[in-house]
């Protein structure tokens, strides 16, 4: 990342990279010898991990089960992931 992203920008980027990872993993299930797709998948894994680490360092835990927590337990800090304040608006989506 060349510039500092804010919380919403990071969440959007994490969401989009995770979507690409899901799509590539489904593709690779049926095309396991596609080197280009596998290389793209591996790059996206690295990017997703870096984005998640940046988010968690700046804004707190992303997941109750796959994020480390400082003391005391941080998952209970608001806003909860399903609350309006914790989410972002997708293009064309009305709230």
């Amino acid at each position: 990342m060349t510039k500092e992203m804010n919380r919403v920008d990071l969440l959007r980027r994490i969401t989009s990279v995770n979507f690409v990872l899901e799509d590539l993993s489904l593709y690779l299930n049926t095309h396991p010898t596609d080197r280009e797709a596998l290389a793209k998948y591996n790059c996206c894994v690295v990017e997703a991990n870096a984005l998640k680490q940046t988010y968690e360092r700046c804004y707190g835990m992303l997941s109750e089960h796959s994020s480390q927590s400082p003391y005391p337990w941080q998952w209970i800090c608001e806003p909860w992931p399903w609350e309006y304040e914790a989410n972002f608006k997708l293009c064309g989506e009305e709230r």
Side-chain angles (χ1 to χ4, degrees):
M1 288 177 287
T2 57
K3 62 177 183 144
E4 196 65 32
M5 288 190 203
N6 68 31
R7 185 184 145 279
V8 173
D9 291 336
L10 276 169
L11 283 174
R12 283 186 177 136
R13 186 67 188 153
I14 290 166
T15 300
S16 65
V17 172
N18 283 337
F19 181 85
V20 172
L21 281 171
E22 187 66 30
D23 197 42
L24 284 169
S25 68
L26 292 171
Y27 174 81
L28 285 165
N29 285 341
T30 58
H31 301 80
T33 59
D34 187 331
R35 287 182 189 269
E36 187 176 336
L38 184 56
K40 178 68 174 173
Y41 175 85
N42 289 333
C43 285
C44 286
V45 167
V46 170
E47 182 179 1
N49 288 336
L51 289 166
K52 290 173 188 176
Q53 286 176 354
T54 299
Y55 183 93
E56 290 180 345
R57 185 178 63 252
C58 296
Y59 304 107
M61 297 171 71
L62 270 170
S63 168
E64 179 181 9
H65 300 290
S66 64
S67 298
Q68 293 184 348
S69 176
Y71 180 84
W73 178 242
Q74 298 295 304
W75 183 246
I76 59 172
C77 296
E78 294 184 50
W80 292 87
W82 54 84
E83 292 180 318
Y84 180 83
E85 298 83 27
N87 293 283
F88 56 88
K89 187 171 115 180
L90 297 173
C91 293
E93 180 182 291
E94 295 297 320
R95 284 212 178 222

